[in-house]
Amino acid sequence: MSQAPVVTKRIVLDLDRCIGCRACGAACHVGHNNQTNLVPGKIADVAILPVHCRHCEHPACAGACPCDALYKDEMGFVRRSEILCIGCRSCEQACPFGAIPSEFVRGVAPKCDLCIDRVLAGGIPRCVATCTSGALSFVDPKETIGSPSYVGGRIQSRGMTRRP
Amino acid sequence: MNDDQRSICPFCSMGCSLLLRSPTRAPYVGAAGVPALGYDADAPVNRGSLCAKGNMALELLTHPARLESPRIRNPEGELVKASWEVALEDLGRRLKDVVARHGSQSIGLLLGPTLTNEEVREAAAFARALGTPHVDLCQPEDHVVLEGLTRCGGRPQRVESVTDIERATAILVAGDLFTMAPCIAKPVLHARYDNRQNVVGTLGFWKSRTYLFGKPALRCLAGREAAALALILKLCLGAAGVEQPAWAPTARTMLDGLDLEEVEQLAGLSLADLDWLASSLRNAEHGAVLFGCGYAESERLDLAAGLSALVAEATGSRFLAMVGGPNTFGIHETLRDEGLPPTEGLRSAEMLAAAGTGELKGLLAFGCDPVGAFPGVVFQDAAAKLPLLATTAPLMSPTAETAHVVLPAGTWGEKAGGVKNAFGHDDTLAAVMRPPGTARTDSAIFTALHEALGKPPSDAAKPTPLAERMPAEAAPAFFHELELYLRLEGREERAREIGTHWLFPEAGASHASDGWLTGPLSWPAHEAPGPVVALSPGHARDLGVKEGDRVRVRSRDAEARLAVRIEQNLVGDVVLVPPHHPETRRLTGWRLDGIVRDLDLRPERVTVEALEVATGEEEA
């Protein structure tokens, strides 16, 4: 079997466009056998928007998992083994983004798999495909960071830098 | 190789495309033998988007509660399973009995908004064979919108594809369109953020998810969209470079004769507030007016729909009216082609009212749920009095619960046929599966009913198609009605109204939970498990209740005990409820308006009281 490609694209949310219709959650729910792998985040009751797994470079959830059920694979995806997971909720506590849903289905942690079946077939994740307002996109984060509208870029230009 | 089948989302008039991906093709996740859902990125209407409901569409095909065999009511009054032969014979006998006793005119046919154009033709042929003129679409709110659009006399250019919205430099969105049809958000927001000069005005009575995206966001008083739109029309009349429509002089005379301050007061918006939006619409090369007041958001839904069409025509903008039924436009047109009502037969609301007074003895509901769809005690109790109520349904519904004969019907994905969406495009549904068990499609049921009655379908008696109803006197009548509304109608009425708050049927996950067709699906059950009432934070504080507490909501006809949801964006004297739970549906006391022969959609006044915890009432 040939080496799987490294996928650098991630799900990026444009806050300006999200209308909070929750179609992304429904698509995830349907596509993953009634397990919703993204969190409906609430901003002070003003807006509801999806919180996705970032598939971090150094995932905190993987470090917290006592069973090594969470790991980063060769494609760059943070994955969860359904067999090894014991549903202890350590990852839910560890995730700095709150991207592990608190509703555990079938006794295991719901975990975004970037719709690996679709992405490997050349598609995009379900939540991005279904997004009704064009808020979600599946892009390389470097593209977003390079764009003039990226707020982080503007902060950086004032002399603030990311810690190594 | 591409063996994806293209079909249409069965849940609203937007007509979004979706793909049915063969189980043999990867990527595939789904139950055995059922196609998986694919997103059609090239679709002209939705570019691949699907709302929460659309994502659920396939679940309908394999739902465990799907009806697989007919049911008839036995002498003890219980619904029991029966074979098709027995059920059809029972229905035929009851039908013949009603016809023999009361005449064929005492039978009404209600058609569901999911029927295809072909099925509607067969329904019309069946009605002719039966000899009844009472055939109508059963989708209460859509009726009122279509009626307003017909009566106003405006003929604006339609939005033909989402490109018309994307390239617009000025857009007016009336009502909470993004809740009603989320898939329209993509082109609207594209126009909103594409160019800083673009103006996307939203008009609504609370900070809904559509309102919040407005630039300018215009907030009228609860339910007064029609008054605000009348002011916008006044500002938009006589736009340069637009040919004057035939109705314009009438409109100008009427609007000039009004006391504008009074209208401003009625609307809660001043002409100055609306000026930016109106002048942008007037000057825009490509403008668009999108109407999406759903579920009786507006006091006068018909006037609001008509006025938004007139605003579009006066400014040369494109116009799109969104309604709830996936084939409402197609059914309306097909019935007109067939020379059927709404000229001589009863309309759907009248049929229900006639059932209550005993004028109508039999009601056949094909693919619809009149008991659930018509809110209010008046209509809900009427159906129970009928000597004959039969329905075809894919799932049990309130109508099926009260019916004498229930025939299991195929639904979307199990039947092929033509539909027409809000953009005016004809599209086709694809059949990918057979109906479950012994269920049949509505088309097959019509054939079986002809046999049971012993009367073949005949085209002999088919009347000539009605000309498109556009009488010359329509527009003056519309403006007369508008004048009455803006001048005094309601003001005395409102003084007599009881209750402290306006009840609007629209809350939270309404797009996820509405309807008997979507209610039983897993996501709505997960998202909106029970009926709630949404209160503004100030209102909740006054009542001394917090999120999750139960309150008593009392309207003119009914009362309900509902859990509280605090909605930060809600303002003023408004409470929201989800539209399709039986408890909340009963609160809305819609009546039949004898003059327009349709529902009087006035929003309900309700009183909200905190329940005393000490008495232990809330366990009920």
Side-chain angles (χ1 to χ4, degrees):
Chain A
M1 206 179 124
S2 62
Q3 184 72 31
V6 174
V7 177
T8 53
K9 287 186 175 179
R10 295 289 179 266
I11 298 164
V12 175
L13 175 72
D14 181 347
L15 287 176
D16 279 349
R17 293 196 188 212
C18 181
I19 60 167
C21 71
R22 314 199 46 189
C24 44
C28 191
H29 181 87
V30 171
H32 294 97
N33 213 348
N34 295 1
Q35 188 176 47
T36 312
N37 293 341
L38 53 85
V39 180
K42 265 193 166 187
I43 301 181
D45 285 333
V46 175
I48 295 178
L49 43 88
V51 178
H52 284 86
C53 172
R54 267 69 168 168
H55 294 265
C56 305
E57 278 175 42
H58 304 288
C61 54
C65 182
C67 302
D68 294 336
L70 287 153
Y71 60 97
K72 197 164 176 77
D73 74 0
E74 67 277 18
M75 285 181 289
F77 293 5
V78 178
R79 300 182 69 178
R80 184 251 302 111
S81 156
E82 202 154 322
I83 295 169
L84 293 179
C85 178
I86 55 168
C88 69
R89 295 182 181 264
S90 306
C91 50
E92 190 195 336
Q93 299 294 321
C95 178
F97 301 104
I100 306 269
S102 56
E103 196 171 314
F104 281 34
V105 179
R106 295 184 287 274
V108 298
K111 170 72 188 65
C112 170
D113 61 357
L114 275 181
C115 290
I116 190 164
D117 50 339
R118 290 172 61 92
V119 171
L120 290 185
I124 53 174
R126 290 178 179 83
C127 51
V128 180
T130 201
C131 179
T132 57
S133 61
L136 288 173
S137 52
F138 190 54
V139 292
D140 196 321
K142 287 201 183 84
E143 287 171 34
T144 314
I145 291 167
S147 80
S149 63
Y150 179 61
V151 181
R154 273 179 275 158
I155 294 172
Q156 212 169 28
S157 68
R158 288 188 200 151
M160 293 161 78
T161 48
R162 184 172 159 231
R163 252 186 302 169
Chain B
M1 188 191 98
N2 192 351
D3 52 2
D4 288 345
Q5 283 237 42
R6 214 181 130 269
S7 194
I8 307 297
C9 171
F11 295 127
C12 85
S13 65
M14 178 108 174
C16 294
S17 305
L18 44 78
L19 297 177
L20 298 169
R21 186 152 289 190
S22 153
T24 55
R25 187 162 172 255
Y28 170 68
V29 178
V34 185
L37 188 68
Y39 305 95
D40 183 6
D42 304 323
V45 169
N46 56 325
R47 308 257 162 91
S49 302
L50 284 179
C51 63
K53 279 204 287 191
N55 274 293
M56 291 293 116
L58 279 173
E59 214 179 299
L60 261 186
L61 301 180
T62 50
H63 200 277
R66 279 293 297 270
L67 294 175
E68 297 191 349
S69 62
R71 276 147 216 246
I72 56 172
R73 205 162 284 280
N74 67 9
E76 285 79 52
E78 296 160 343
L79 266 189
V80 289
K81 285 186 184 173
S83 70
W84 274 91
E85 290 74 35
V86 174
L88 284 171
E89 200 224 297
D90 187 56
L91 177 56
R93 189 173 43 76
R94 284 174 192 268
L95 257 179
K96 281 177 194 156
D97 189 43
V98 170
V99 171
R101 277 200 209 174
H102 310 283
S104 56
Q105 305 250 337
S106 63
I107 299 208
L109 263 67
L110 289 171
L111 310 179
T114 50
L115 294 191
T116 63
N117 296 339
E118 291 78 7
E119 285 169 340
V120 174
R121 287 213 180 85
E122 285 170 48
F126 179 67
R128 277 194 295 275
L130 205 60
T132 175
H134 313 309
V135 187
D136 201 12
L137 166 71
C138 176
Q139 182 77 354
E141 297 95 340
D142 292 6
H143 253 292
V144 180
V145 172
L146 289 179
E147 192 59 25
L149 292 178
T150 316
R151 274 212 317 267
C152 74
R155 282 287 168 274
Q157 268 190 303
R158 253 185 165 154
V159 171
E160 276 170 6
S161 74
V162 287
T163 323
D164 286 339
I165 303 174
E166 281 173 346
R167 69 176 180 185
T169 51
I171 299 181
L172 163 62
V173 184
D176 190 3
L177 185 66
F178 291 178
T179 295
M180 194 161 172
C183 298
I184 201 86
K186 203 185 257 186
V188 174
L189 292 181
H190 183 279
R192 166 82 166 79
Y193 292 112
D194 189 40
N195 186 334
R196 276 168 187 276
Q197 309 298 323
N198 289 355
V199 172
V200 178
T202 54
L203 177 67
F205 64 86
W206 70 292
K207 296 187 200 163
S208 65
R209 57 173 65 123
T210 315
Y211 171 88
L212 290 169
F213 285 91
K215 187 186 87 170
L218 305 164
R219 199 164 74 226
C220 59
L221 289 178
R224 306 276 171 74
E225 279 91 349
L229 282 162
L231 290 174
I232 296 178
L233 180 66
K234 178 167 175 62
L235 293 168
C236 285
L237 278 175
V242 180
E243 202 186 321
Q244 281 299 295
W247 49 262
T250 325
R252 189 167 295 124
T253 320
M254 194 281 284
L255 290 167
D256 285 348
L258 288 174
D259 179 354
L260 283 179
E261 270 180 33
E262 255 182 53
V263 183
E264 285 179 341
Q265 221 171 15
L266 188 71
L269 278 166
S270 72
L271 281 174
D273 296 332
L274 303 164
D275 191 48
W276 181 31
L277 173 67
S279 61
S280 308
L281 276 173
R282 285 173 64 132
N283 299 328
E285 196 188 337
H286 300 293
V289 177
L290 313 176
F291 179 77
C293 288
Y295 301 121
E297 251 179 78
S298 175
E299 256 178 13
R300 288 300 302 264
L301 203 56
D302 53 340
L303 292 181
L307 280 168
S308 48
L310 298 183
V311 168
E313 199 182 4
T315 56
S317 304
R318 300 271 180 161
F319 179 67
L320 180 71
M322 198 61 72
V323 294
N327 194 25
T328 295
F329 290 100
I331 293 175
H332 199 66
E333 212 161 88
T334 312
L335 283 178
R336 201 175 57 209
D337 277 355
E338 294 285 329
L340 278 163
T343 40
E344 48 180 298
L346 296 176
R347 296 185 181 184
S348 49
E350 289 177 313
M351 281 191 223
L352 263 286
T357 57
E359 284 168 52
L360 211 62
K361 300 294 180 190
L363 206 53
L364 309 179
F366 293 98
C368 58
D369 171 26
V371 177
F374 283 91
V377 182
V378 179
F379 293 120
Q380 303 208 339
D381 293 348
K385 296 178 189 159
L386 281 166
L388 165 63
L389 178 64
T391 182
T392 71
L395 292 161
M396 277 312 261
S397 62
T399 306
E401 304 282 356
T402 32
H404 301 102
V405 181
V406 183
L407 302 174
T411 179
W412 171 89
E414 294 158 356
K415 61 185 182 189
V419 294
K420 195 183 202 84
N421 63 18
F423 296 86
H425 298 309
D426 289 309
D427 233 321
T428 43
L429 290 175
V432 290
M433 286 182 63
R434 291 231 313 272
T438 63
R440 303 181 185 178
T441 61
D442 280 291
S443 174
I445 291 174
F446 283 123
T447 315
L449 281 177
H450 279 298
E451 278 170 24
L453 273 184
K455 289 180 186 172
S458 81
D459 273 350
K462 184 173 169 179
T464 46
L466 300 168
E468 193 172 351
R469 288 201 310 143
M470 202 2 231
E473 69 276 12
F478 177 82
F479 286 110
H480 179 66
E481 212 175 297
L482 177 63
E483 193 177 359
L484 282 181
Y485 168 67
L486 294 177
R487 275 186 196 280
L488 48 96
E489 196 261 359
R491 231 153 297 188
E492 297 156 38
E493 281 280 317
R494 269 190 294 277
R496 279 193 274 122
E497 293 272 9
I498 46 142
T500 51
H501 282 71
W502 292 107
L503 177 88
F504 285 94
E506 180 144 4
S510 68
H511 199 73
S513 68
D514 66 12
W516 58 288
L517 210 52
T518 44
L521 305 182
S522 66
W523 175 257
H526 175 263
E527 289 298 294
V532 291
V533 57
L535 309 177
S536 66
H539 189 191
R541 211 169 32 246
D542 292 346
L543 288 173
V545 293
K546 53 184 192 305
E547 183 116 3
D549 284 357
R550 292 176 82 85
V551 289
R552 184 191 290 120
V553 184
R554 202 181 307 200
S555 74
R556 183 171 46 176
D557 295 326
E559 68 167 56
R561 288 165 189 207
L562 303 170
V564 171
R565 198 169 62 87
I566 294 175
E567 173 66 60
Q568 297 290 333
N569 290 328
L570 202 57
V571 284
D573 48 357
V574 176
V575 298
L576 301 179
V577 291
H580 284 282
H581 286 287
E583 294 92 327
T584 56
R585 203 83 173 149
R586 283 181 82 85
L587 286 173
T588 308
W590 289 350
R591 299 280 201 280
L592 187 72
D593 184 331
I595 299 165
V596 296
R597 298 179 56 207
D598 220 316
L599 287 175
D600 178 7
L601 285 173
R602 190 166 318 192
E604 199 70 18
R605 277 282 201 183
V606 291
T607 323
V608 185
E609 298 156 358
L611 283 174
E612 294 294 330
V613 182
T615 61
E617 269 185 309
E618 82 271 42
E619 274 83 19

